[in-house]
Amino acid sequence: MAIILLSGLLPKIGKYVPSESIAGFLFVLGAWVTVPVNAAVSLGQDSLVGGITMTVTAITDPFFGMVAGLIMKMLSGIIGL
């Protein structure tokens, strides 16, 4: 990938690959590779914070999920959950 990026071939290759196939590949990569590992780690540390973070991320986007997780972590520290 570094060779493709540094050589400037990415825009040329992008003309021939439909954006739908790239989006599909990224979805599968996220669903099968990234989510299970991250879910196990986050739910293992604090299940309430991890669950809220994953739920908000699934409903909206990762940025709002991260913010919701940080807010829940602060609240759980204040209330003692």
Side-chain angles (χ1 to χ4, degrees), residues 16-50:
Y16 301 106
V17 179
S19 61
E20 292 85 7
S21 77
I22 295 170
F25 172 76
L26 291 175
F27 175 76
V28 169
L29 182 67
W32 291 98
V33 176
T34 306
V35 172
V37 174
N38 291 341
V41 171
S42 69
L43 294 173
Q45 291 178 357
D46 188 350
S47 59
L48 178 64
V49 174

Side-chain angles (χ1 to χ4, degrees), residues 2-81:
I3 294 170
I4 292 172
L5 287 172
L6 293 175
S7 66
L9 289 174
L10 190 60
K12 294 175 186 172
I13 294 172
K15 292 179 184 177
Y16 301 106
V17 179
S19 61
E20 292 85 7
S21 77
I22 295 170
F25 172 76
L26 291 175
F27 175 76
V28 169
L29 182 67
W32 291 98
V33 176
T34 306
V35 172
V37 174
N38 291 341
V41 171
S42 69
L43 294 173
Q45 291 178 357
D46 188 350
S47 59
L48 178 64
V49 174
I52 294 293
T53 303
M54 288 184 59
T55 302
V56 172
T57 299
I59 294 171
T60 59
D61 67 27
F63 177 76
F64 292 129
M66 179 184 66
V67 171
L70 290 172
I71 291 170
M72 278 306 299
K73 189 168 187 171
M74 287 188 321
L75 288 175
S76 67
I78 292 170
I79 320 174
L81 293 175

